[in-house]
Amino acid sequence: MTTGKKIVSQEQVMILMEDVERLYGYDFTHYTKASLSRRINQLCLLDNFASFAELRYRVVHDPEYMQRFVEKMTVNVTEMFRDPSFFANLRREILPKLRTSPFIRIWIAGCATGEEAYSLAILLQEENLLHKSLIYGTDINPSVLEQAKKAVIPMANLKSYVENYQLSGGKADFSSYYTANYNWVKLNSTLRERIVFASHNLVSDASFNAFQLILCRNVLIYFDTELQARVLSLFDESLETFGYLALGSQETLRFSALAPHYNQVGNEKIWRKVK
């Protein structure tokens, strides 16, 4: 089997997605077809499925394998202080505005293994706001949430994370936020205590709180236009007036029906809800 060989057609992708929704409740039908097709065909190569029928049989009849399938269909790419200019902007423009709130509730949707949540916790601690903040990190994928709860990162990633932290305007020695242990780094419990990791499906679940800041970066690009609109409406319902919504570098509110209710803050993809 050669790399790049297409095992599953677009039509078969949609048949499989209907199976997954019917049997397990995961609705991937509004993910972009190109992204789903690419990920499913990669999975066939990785797990040596020679045909669509083999893959479909395994997904339908093996609930344990279904967890691997969810992992591969969802986007779990993340890093600490990813896009340092974004975090610098949060520190400079957004957190000072949130300082007046008696309690700060933050939602990171699609948190993957939690690096963004821990980055934000460090930022809040350095601005003396962590003690009155609570960060909700949610994801559809239960296995990445379990990883996030452990508050560990690979030692191999540490150098790039330190560089990102410094470029974002970090005020301390990054080593003060972790304990090194062989190939892993354990983040401080004071950061973990202010984060709640929980399962939440952006496709089907409702709003669950009122937030002053919502981050959902580099997730919407994998959704079709209809699902993007639904998810943005969910965020709008979940955001207090004068709260902030942060999206990824390739995502925008500009063409959304919600655009008239938001003002963009600076050059980053951050919008303030004004009505």
Side-chain angles (χ1 to χ4, degrees):
M1 194 181 297
T2 58
T3 302
K5 182 179 178 182
K6 200 166 185 179
I7 306 299
V8 182
S9 70
Q10 289 275 8
E11 182 181 356
Q12 290 169 334
V13 166
M14 299 317 294
I15 291 170
L16 187 60
M17 293 304 100
E18 290 169 4
D19 289 338
V20 167
E21 182 178 10
R22 175 172 52 84
L23 294 170
Y24 301 102
Y26 289 103
D27 183 1
F28 292 109
T29 56
H30 289 284
Y31 281 53
T32 61
K33 291 179 175 58
S35 175
L36 283 176
S37 179
R38 183 175 63 253
R39 289 172 182 276
I40 287 173
N41 280 286
Q42 286 174 346
L43 183 61
C44 287
L45 291 167
L46 286 170
D47 292 354
N48 297 313
F49 293 116
S51 69
F52 169 66
E54 287 184 23
L55 170 65
R56 187 183 187 191
Y57 185 88
R58 187 74 182 275
V59 169
V60 168
H61 295 283
D62 186 348
E64 287 188 14
Y65 185 78
M66 179 59 197
Q67 290 307 311
R68 173 167 171 78
F69 183 82
V70 171
E71 287 177 24
K72 293 302 178 183
M73 293 309 102
T74 53
V75 181
N76 302 312
V77 177
T78 186
E79 61 185 62
M80 294 197 74
F81 296 95
R82 183 182 185 183
D83 302 323
S85 63
F86 169 80
F87 281 93
N89 191 273
L90 276 185
R91 185 192 298 271
R92 184 176 60 251
E93 302 291 339
I94 308 304
L95 295 189
K97 303 289 196 308
L98 297 181
R99 188 176 297 280
T100 56
S101 298
F103 193 77
I104 303 169
R105 290 179 297 276
I106 300 169
W107 179 14
I108 300 178
C111 70
T113 46
E115 279 86 339
E116 190 167 48
Y118 289 109
S119 301
L120 191 52
I122 289 172
L123 214 64
L124 290 162
Q125 181 161 310
E126 292 187 353
E127 299 304 316
N128 196 31
L129 294 173
L130 186 60
H131 67 283
K132 65 169 188 174
S133 302
L134 192 60
I135 301 168
Y136 292 84
T138 67
D139 203 280
I140 188 178
N141 186 338
S143 63
V144 297
L145 289 171
E146 288 306 309
Q147 180 66 29
K149 292 173 184 177
K150 295 176 183 177
V152 296
I153 57 176
M155 181 70 77
N157 296 348
L158 190 60
K159 182 180 178 182
S160 64
Y161 289 178
V162 171
E163 290 174 357
N164 286 351
Y165 167 72
Q166 292 170 340
L167 290 170
S168 73
K171 296 181 176 181
D173 186 333
F174 192 74
S175 64
S176 65
Y177 293 113
Y178 67 81
T179 303
N181 184 14
Y182 298 104
N183 296 324
W184 296 90
V185 161
K186 176 79 170 177
L187 295 167
N188 292 354
S189 59
T190 52
L191 304 175
R192 174 68 182 89
E193 288 166 1
R194 307 307 301 175
I195 306 173
V196 176
F197 289 110
S199 177
H200 185 275
N201 188 335
L202 289 172
V203 178
S204 58
D205 291 343
S207 173
F208 60 94
N209 214 323
F211 298 94
Q212 287 78 42
L213 174 62
I214 298 175
L215 289 79
C216 184
R217 302 170 65 222
N218 307 304
V219 175
L220 295 181
I221 54 173
Y222 298 100
F223 297 164
D224 66 17
T225 304
E226 179 185 338
L227 182 54
Q228 286 182 11
R230 279 164 44 194
V231 172
L232 287 173
S233 292
L234 171 65
F235 293 153
D236 185 58
E237 293 169 17
S238 308
L239 194 63
E240 289 189 351
T241 304
F242 304 120
Y244 296 89
L245 173 62
L247 302 177
S249 59
Q250 299 178 56
E251 300 161 340
T252 185
L253 266 182
R254 188 171 300 164
F255 307 110
S256 164
L258 297 171
H261 302 276
Y262 288 79
N263 291 335
Q264 190 168 357
V265 180
N267 296 322
E268 296 294 330
K269 296 299 184 72
I270 302 173
W271 284 265
R272 191 181 196 198
K273 182 177 180 179
V274 292
K275 59 182 176 180

